Amino acid sequence: MKIFSARCVLLGISLSALAVQALPSHAANPKPPTAPGKPADTAKPPAAPATPPPPAPAPASAPAATPTLTLDAYIADLASNLPLSKTEQTDVKTYYLNDGVKLQSILSDDSLSPLTQEQQIDDLRNTRNAKIEALLADVGRQAEFLKLEANYRVALVELAAQGGLIPTAPTPNVPQPTSTPPNQADKTAPGM
C-alpha cells in the first residue's frame, strides 16, 4: 500500500509539474475576450532574431598586413597626410633604412625570447620615432605621424622580416662596352 500511495504522490507531483510548465506558455500570450460578431485578433508571428551588424571596415589609412607594402608606399602615405617636403621624405626613409638591418637581425635571432625581441624592437622604434618627431617640429604633424606609424607598425615589422627595409646598393650607371670593329681589334698600339 505504501508503494501505491508513493506512486500516486509522485504521479500527482509529476502532473502538477507538467501543468505548471504548460501554464507559462499560455499565460505569456493571453487572448483578450472578443465581442460577439467580431473576429478574434490573430497573433502576430514572433519577430526574427536580430543579427549582429557586419564588422566596420578598416580606416583608409590603415593598411592590411600584406606583403605588398613597400617602404616607398608608406613614405608616400606619410607625405600626403602630414605633409612632408621632399627633404623630409628622404630623411624619414633614411631613418627606416638605417634601422632595417638591426630590425631584421632582431627578428631572425632565435636565441632571443619573444618578449626580448619585442622589447628590442620597441626600443629601436622609439629611438627612430623620436628622431622623426624632432624632424617634424610641429605638434600636429608629430601627433599625426604617431597615429599613422601605429597603423603601419605590424606591416613594417613584417616588411623588415622579409628584407624590405634593408637598403639596396644602387647599381652604378656603367656604360656597356661596345664591340670594336674587327679591323681595329687586330691593330696593336705602338710600343706594345
Side-chain angles (χ1 to χ4, degrees), residues 76-98:
D77 194 26
L78 288 178
S80 66
N81 285 297
L82 294 181
L84 294 175
S85 69
K86 291 290 184 187
T87 304
E88 289 171 330
Q89 290 177 45
T90 303
D91 291 346
V92 170
K93 185 175 181 177
T94 301
Y95 291 141
Y96 278 95
L97 291 175
N98 287 343

Side-chain angles (χ1 to χ4, degrees), residues 5 7 59 126 130 144 168 180:
S5 61
R7 285 186 181 171
N126 291 339
E144 185 65 22
T168 56
T180 46

